[in-house]
Amino acid sequence: MKEIYNLHNETIGLKVVENLKKNDFSAIYLKTGVEASKFIMDNIRKGDKVGFGGSMTVVKLGIQEKVASLGGFVLDHGDPTLSPDDKMETMRGELLSDVFICSSNAVTMDGELVNIDGVGNRIAAMTFGPKKVIIVVGVNKICKNESSAFERLEQIAAPMNNMRLKMPNPCTKTGVCMDCKAASRICRVYSVIKRRPVRTDMTVIVIGEELGY
């Protein structure tokens, strides 16, 4: 059974990578998170300022700890010890990092990246600012097309992130986006990256495992 899952993951993962490359992204398919972690760390040097975009996929890979052990400077606005002012300054710092590492809420079979943000800092850093951007996605985030990608945002990514952040929004009760008008709404900035931004060194890693949400 596992062999068939792995074969399917590799089949769709390689197809997505092929189409990402057609859209001018640098892209690679790696079978495991361990391989992805090594690939990421091979792109980081001692002294680099490394920004993180609030990705549970990246947290699972333990990249923050590995960067710190290497002697890099970790810029992670998700650090619970930060004050609100320090969190904002860290977000701004991430925009000028040497390497910015994040995930994408969805990636289409056509090789497009679909995202949703509350502040917009992650989307901003993905598209312009850092010297290098590395985007890590598990195969569970692959969607047939842009329409199904937005459905994934509404049915999975947004509700689960609201739950993770303990936000008092309707989707934490219903399990799906209610397009709420709440002041605490975190679904505010939407983005579709159809092709690699002209001046951004961007690599997308597709991992043959289910990671993040």
Side-chain angles (χ1 to χ4, degrees), residues 50-60 63-64 74-80 87 90-91 94 99-105 115-118 120-123 125-126 134 136 141 157 160-162 164-165 186 211-213:
V50 183
F52 292 89
S55 163
M56 294 301 99
T57 298
V58 176
V59 168
K60 178 72 173 178
I63 303 300
Q64 285 94 331
V74 174
L75 298 170
D76 186 359
H77 67 272
D79 182 345
K87 184 173 182 176
T90 300
M91 287 180 181
E94 290 165 0
V99 183
F100 182 73
I101 305 171
C102 66
S103 188
S104 181
N105 296 122
N115 287 284
I116 185 169
D117 265 4
N121 57 297
R122 176 181 57 126
I123 288 172
M126 288 172 78
I134 299 177
V136 190
K141 295 186 176 182
M160 292 185 75
N161 275 303
N162 271 274
R164 173 176 65 88
L165 297 170
I186 64 170
L211 292 163
Y213 39 80

Side-chain angles (χ1 to χ4, degrees), residues 1-174:
M1 183 74 73
K2 186 176 181 181
E3 181 181 351
I4 299 302
Y5 276 112
N6 291 340
L7 179 60
H8 179 258
N9 289 346
E10 184 170 356
T11 300
I12 62 172
L14 288 172
K15 185 62 178 178
V16 168
V17 164
E18 177 186 338
N19 287 329
L20 283 164
K21 289 179 178 178
K22 288 179 181 178
N23 291 338
D24 204 26
F25 296 97
S26 174
I28 185 171
Y29 175 81
L30 296 172
K31 293 182 179 181
T32 68
V34 173
E35 292 177 287
S37 178
K38 183 180 184 306
F39 181 93
I40 292 169
M41 294 308 300
D42 284 344
N43 283 274
I44 297 171
R45 301 290 178 264
K46 181 179 180 180
D48 279 351
K49 293 180 292 184
V50 183
F52 292 89
S55 163
M56 294 301 99
T57 298
V58 176
V59 168
K60 178 72 173 178
L61 298 179
I63 303 300
Q64 285 94 331
E65 293 82 0
K66 291 174 184 176
V67 169
S69 296
L70 180 66
F73 295 95
V74 174
L75 298 170
D76 186 359
H77 67 272
D79 182 345
T81 67
L82 295 177
S83 69
D85 287 344
D86 287 341
K87 184 173 182 176
M88 282 300 295
E89 284 306 307
T90 300
M91 287 180 181
R92 293 187 178 100
E94 290 165 0
L95 293 170
L96 297 176
S97 54
D98 295 303
V99 183
F100 182 73
I101 305 171
C102 66
S103 188
S104 181
N105 296 122
V107 56
T108 71
M109 290 295 296
D110 293 330
E112 299 176 353
L113 305 174
V114 181
N115 287 284
I116 185 169
D117 265 4
V119 177
N121 57 297
R122 176 181 57 126
I123 288 172
M126 288 172 78
T127 54
F128 181 78
K131 292 178 182 178
K132 183 173 185 60
V133 175
I134 299 177
I135 300 169
V136 190
V137 292
V139 289
N140 51 308
K141 295 186 176 182
I142 295 175
C143 300
K144 181 179 179 181
N145 51 37
E146 190 176 311
S147 177
S148 62
F150 277 101
E151 288 181 5
R152 184 181 195 283
L153 266 56
E154 293 181 355
Q155 295 177 10
I156 300 173
M160 292 185 75
N161 275 303
N162 271 274
M163 291 174 184
R164 173 176 65 88
L165 297 170
K166 297 180 171 58
M167 302 302 294
N169 294 322
C171 62
T172 63
K173 305 296 183 184
T174 64

